[in-house]
Amino acid sequence: MLAGLVVAALIVTGAWPLAAQGDKPIRIGFGMALTGGLAANGKAALLAMQIWAKDVNDKGGLLGRPVELVHYDDQTKPANVPAIYTKLIEVDQVDFVVSGYGTNLIVPALPVVMERELVFMGLFGLAANEKFNYPYYFGIAPIGPKPRTDWSRGFFDIAKTHKLKTIAMIGADAEFARNAQSGARENAKAYGLNIVYDKTYPPGTADFSPVVRAIKALNPDILCVASYPPGSVGITRAAHEVGLEPQLFGGGMVGLQYAAFLTKLGPMLNGIVNYDFWVPEPTLKFPGVDAFLTKYQAQAESVGVDPLGHYLPPWAYANLQVLQQAIEATKSIDQKMVGDYIRNNEFDTIVGKVRFGDNGEWNTTRTLMVQYQNIADSEVKQFFGPGKRIVLYPEDWKSGELIFPYAEAKP
């Protein structure tokens, strides 16, 4: 079943001679998108995980044993995932499995993991465990206990503050975006908004001008978008081309968090209010995050990944920190002991304190809503520091004020 897959080499991270350890390594296996549509994200996540493994091994390993990462390229194809995890468990006999990046590649791994009652750390899944309710799934994304609605709750809280009344919604016809748009629809109804447009578009859509013109004709107060990177770029550009100016614009646009898209769009981003998980604002300076980013950014160019590393890499590192702390606390690699510990305890990570709820999601939401402000050009250097992605929500992490309406922040 694995014929044709690009198989990544077994990685033994750190310069620790295995023969000198007396115990075999603790092996952690996963699939990761190293080719295909999510390859840029997958490679960035992999680098972060390699940095974690080296950090652990440099300090003596886990339970006195070195750590090995065993990974295969899932090619961003959900159909490849079950076979990869079957091989990791049955052939490679890894001690733990963690997920690849994103909802579409987490969900197909879950049945394989559940059958064997293994702990499964999920990297950026949106409601990935909703259908399964698997007790040993834990998602490292600060979305919250009700992921569909928590994802966009901050966006709608901002809309409520400004007493907006009508909303248009557009999203990609794919699992993540459908989940995000479903939650936005629930929020819109709960907040008493009148939905004047609610449609999906095929993931391969290249020209968004007709869609945006149709939305402009309805003149909604709000445009809420649930998109993957191509759609995020296409909708932003089309909005500028046709002069679309809702009072609030953004929501769940994947891709705008990365240097490649920040620089591609530059000042066109000004005024958009969008989700994020970590940005270099002073309110989010958690212990260890700067040290991690220094290591990541020093290697990013040579590996050919996102030079900022703000969006996904800290979370890929923190995902393994949670697993590490549970193994160390229980002094065990027993799946049930480790899983029960993760469910019942709080963890200190480079993305802050983490505690999971009964469904494996964060017990409280910390999905950020940030506004792009004062972006002057397409130079990447402006995004390394604060002042370009202002945190508006949640209140505890707020770093600045909303420029409202959207048109006031445009170039």
Side-chain angles (χ1 to χ4, degrees):
M1 294 177 68
L2 289 171
L5 288 181
V6 180
V7 181
L10 180 68
I11 294 179
V12 181
T13 315
W16 209 9
L18 300 186
Q21 300 315 306
D23 286 307
K24 65 179 183 179
I26 292 177
R27 309 175 84 205
I28 300 172
F30 54 96
M32 189 60 74
L34 303 180
T35 56
L38 294 179
N41 305 339
K43 290 176 182 178
L46 177 60
L47 175 57
M49 296 165 81
Q50 291 170 339
I51 292 170
W52 170 84
K54 185 176 189 308
D55 286 347
V56 169
N57 283 344
D58 285 348
K59 293 178 181 178
L62 279 177
L63 308 182
R65 297 164 58 181
V67 169
E68 288 184 3
L69 303 181
V70 185
H71 63 85
Y72 298 99
D73 180 12
D74 61 35
Q75 301 177 318
T76 319
K77 295 180 180 178
N80 289 337
V81 171
I84 287 175
Y85 280 84
T86 300
K87 182 178 188 300
L88 286 165
I89 296 163
E90 295 184 355
V91 179
D92 299 314
Q93 297 186 334
V94 297
D95 297 289
F96 290 94
V97 288
V98 297
S99 84
Y101 163 67
T103 310
N104 295 356
L105 300 164
I106 293 173
V107 170
L110 267 163
V112 178
V113 173
M114 290 168 59
E115 183 180 357
R116 295 158 177 85
E117 299 182 340
L118 304 179
V119 171
F120 194 48
M121 306 297 300
L123 181 61
F124 279 18
L126 178 58
N129 194 33
E130 188 173 68
K131 298 175 185 176
F132 304 101
N133 199 27
Y134 179 53
Y136 292 127
Y137 170 86
F138 305 99
I140 194 73
I143 298 169
K146 298 178 180 178
R148 285 179 185 267
T149 51
D150 286 339
W151 176 266
S152 57
R153 190 178 306 282
F155 187 76
F156 286 90
D157 276 357
I158 293 167
K160 182 179 180 180
T161 299
H162 291 275
K163 300 180 180 179
L164 304 181
K165 296 180 179 180
T166 60
I167 183 170
M169 296 192 293
I170 183 72
D173 188 11
E175 186 153 6
F176 150 74
R178 287 194 298 268
N179 288 346
Q181 195 167 357
S182 169
R185 191 176 298 118
E186 289 183 45
N187 280 329
K189 292 176 180 177
Y191 283 66
L193 293 165
N194 179 25
I195 301 172
V196 298
Y197 185 97
D198 183 1
K199 294 186 179 181
T200 60
Y201 62 86
T205 300
D207 182 9
F208 288 91
S209 296
V211 171
V212 172
R213 290 184 191 280
I215 293 171
K216 182 182 179 183
L218 296 169
N219 193 30
D221 295 332
I222 307 163
L223 174 58
C224 184
V225 182
S227 54
Y228 288 105
S232 300
V233 172
I235 291 168
T236 301
R237 284 181 164 166
H240 276 258
E241 288 169 5
V242 306
L244 178 65
E245 292 187 346
Q247 295 186 64
L248 188 66
F249 174 17
M253 304 173 75
V254 178
L256 304 188
Q257 302 81 8
Y258 289 94
F261 301 105
L262 291 168
T263 55
K264 184 187 289 265
L265 294 170
M268 281 191 285
L269 291 169
N270 283 325
I272 291 176
V273 174
N274 196 38
Y275 89 95
D276 214 316
F277 293 146
W278 189 89
V279 289
E281 290 294 294
T283 54
L284 297 172
K285 291 291 186 178
F286 303 113
V289 69
D290 283 342
F292 163 76
L293 287 171
T294 297
K295 294 175 184 178
Y296 171 91
Q297 290 167 358
Q299 301 177 57
E301 183 176 357
S302 63
V303 179
V305 296
D306 181 80
L308 298 174
H310 294 162
Y311 178 60
L312 178 60
W315 300 87
Y317 189 100
N319 204 29
L320 293 176
Q321 279 188 299
V322 170
L323 184 61
Q324 170 192 353
Q325 290 172 30
I327 292 169
E328 290 173 339
T330 59
K331 298 181 171 58
S332 173
I333 59 171
D334 178 81
Q335 299 289 320
K336 186 176 187 303
M337 289 179 65
V338 170
D340 288 343
Y341 187 89
I342 294 173
R343 186 184 304 109
N344 295 310
N345 289 275
E346 186 174 79
F347 300 86
D348 289 309
T349 76
I350 64 169
V351 296
K353 293 186 180 296
V354 175
R355 180 180 284 275
F356 300 98
D358 291 340
N359 61 353
E361 305 290 352
W362 280 36
N363 68 335
T364 56
T365 184
R366 205 193 75 201
T367 301
L368 307 176
M369 283 294 150
V370 306
Q371 186 177 44
Y372 302 90
Q373 297 181 4
N374 304 310
I375 298 172
D377 51 40
S378 295
E379 293 295 322
V380 70
K381 61 183 179 182
Q382 67 187 308
F383 299 109
F384 279 91
K388 303 299 180 183
R389 290 166 285 173
I390 306 302
V391 179
L392 306 174
Y393 176 94
E395 186 70 27
D396 288 349
W397 313 104
K398 188 174 179 179
S399 66
E401 299 298 327
L402 173 72
I403 299 175
F404 183 86
Y406 162 67
E408 291 296 313
K410 289 177 63 180

